Amino acid sequence: IDRLSGWYAIASYLITMIDYQSSNFDQSNSNLTYSAIGGVGRLGMGYLSPRSSWGLLGIADLGGMTVGSENYTYASAEGNAIYRNVMGDKGELRQQFGLFYKEFPETVGRTSSQITETNLIKAVGPHYGAEFWYALSSKLGFQMNMHLYPSLGKIKTPTNEDIRPSLSFQAGLLGSYRLNKNITGLAGYAFRQ
């Protein structure tokens, strides 16, 4: 798969299975554990320089989940610098360095059918990601990815208290198929915590 140079756009949709656990210490009877079906839509724009190993990528996500009969939505955004290393004739490692903004849904209640309150925790921090792209042929390939999101600061919490710094991560494996010289499609699996 030819490596991109210049401007490019990404669009994706993930069908998600969310395993949710929370304890609200302000309400001692709120210890929720449930699974929910959801989805995340992503749009992004990037630039890979034809004269340098550096590039840029900005993305925005909108996610949602259905719990009981209610829908809950949350958003995120990232701005990254990209550094590319060519690995042999068929591989490329892309490292990303940047900042992120994430919204985390907090549901309060006794059970998933007795949710009494929904809040958004809004956090920011640095982001590091690595993607390894490998071409099996001129059309087929795969991508492995790993992303680290240390939540170091808050923008908003329900009680206006500081957050406890924590690390969120993602790992994924995707197959890729080049539809034409301008469009490559990917499908696969990702795990995020």
Side-chain angles (χ1 to χ4, degrees), residues 25-44:
F25 296 108
D26 294 326
Q27 301 184 30
S28 59
N29 60 351
S30 179
N31 289 290
L32 282 179
T33 300
Y34 60 82
S35 295
I37 297 289
V40 177
R42 169 172 284 189
L43 293 174

Side-chain angles (χ1 to χ4, degrees), residues 5 37 51 96 101 133 139 141 148 155 169-170 180 185-186:
S5 292
I37 297 289
R51 293 176 296 281
Q96 300 178 13
Y101 161 85
W133 295 72
K139 289 188 174 289
L148 301 173
I155 291 179
F169 72 90
Q170 174 184 308
N180 60 44
L186 298 110

Side-chain angles (χ1 to χ4, degrees), residues 75-79 98-104 121-127 148-157 163-168:
S76 67
E78 295 176 27
L99 298 172
F100 75 86
Y101 161 85
K102 282 188 183 296
E103 296 178 350
F104 300 95
I121 298 167
K122 300 177 182 181
V124 293
H127 165 244
L148 301 173
Y149 301 94
S151 297
L152 298 182
K154 65 134 186 189
I155 291 179
K156 180 184 176 187
T157 57
I163 63 169
R164 181 184 303 160
S166 61
L167 178 66
S168 175

Side-chain angles (χ1 to χ4, degrees), residues 6-190:
W7 291 100
Y8 67 98
I10 61 171
S12 68
Y13 187 78
L14 299 173
I15 299 170
T16 57
M17 171 55 89
I18 298 166
D19 292 320
Y20 184 89
Q21 291 181 309
S22 74
S23 295
N24 187 302
F25 296 108
D26 294 326
Q27 301 184 30
S28 59
N29 60 351
S30 179
N31 289 290
L32 282 179
T33 300
Y34 60 82
S35 295
I37 297 289
V40 177
R42 169 172 284 189
L43 293 174
M45 179 71 76
Y47 179 79
L48 296 173
S49 172
R51 293 176 296 281
S52 152
S53 297
W54 288 95
L56 299 170
L57 174 63
I59 59 174
D61 293 349
L62 182 62
M65 64 181 177
T66 301
V67 182
S69 60
E70 297 292 323
N71 293 322
Y72 303 100
T73 60
Y74 46 92
S76 67
E78 295 176 27
N80 295 298
I82 299 173
Y83 186 77
R84 298 180 294 159
N85 295 93
V86 175
M87 303 180 82
D89 293 333
K90 298 182 178 182
E92 181 173 293
L93 177 67
R94 295 182 186 178
Q95 298 181 75
Q96 300 178 13
F97 312 88
L99 298 172
F100 75 86
Y101 161 85
K102 282 188 183 296
E103 296 178 350
F104 300 95
E106 180 203 23
T107 51
V108 179
R110 291 194 176 120
T111 67
S112 61
S113 61
Q114 294 178 316
I115 292 174
T116 58
E117 190 179 337
T118 304
N119 302 300
L120 283 178
I121 298 167
K122 300 177 182 181
V124 293
H127 165 244
Y128 172 77
E131 299 174 347
F132 177 69
W133 295 72
Y134 190 81
L136 299 169
S137 70
S138 62
K139 289 188 174 289
L140 289 172
F142 68 87
Q143 181 216 99
M144 295 184 295
N145 65 65
M146 178 276 305
H147 297 269
L148 301 173
Y149 301 94
S151 297
L152 298 182
K154 65 134 186 189
I155 291 179
K156 180 184 176 187
T157 57
T159 58
N160 207 29
E161 297 292 328
D162 287 338
I163 63 169
R164 181 184 303 160
S166 61
L167 178 66
S168 175
F169 72 90
Q170 174 184 308
L173 177 62
L174 301 146
S176 65
Y177 183 78
R178 184 174 176 179
L179 300 168
N180 60 44
K181 68 176 185 174
N182 294 317
I183 299 174
T184 298
L186 298 110
Y189 177 81

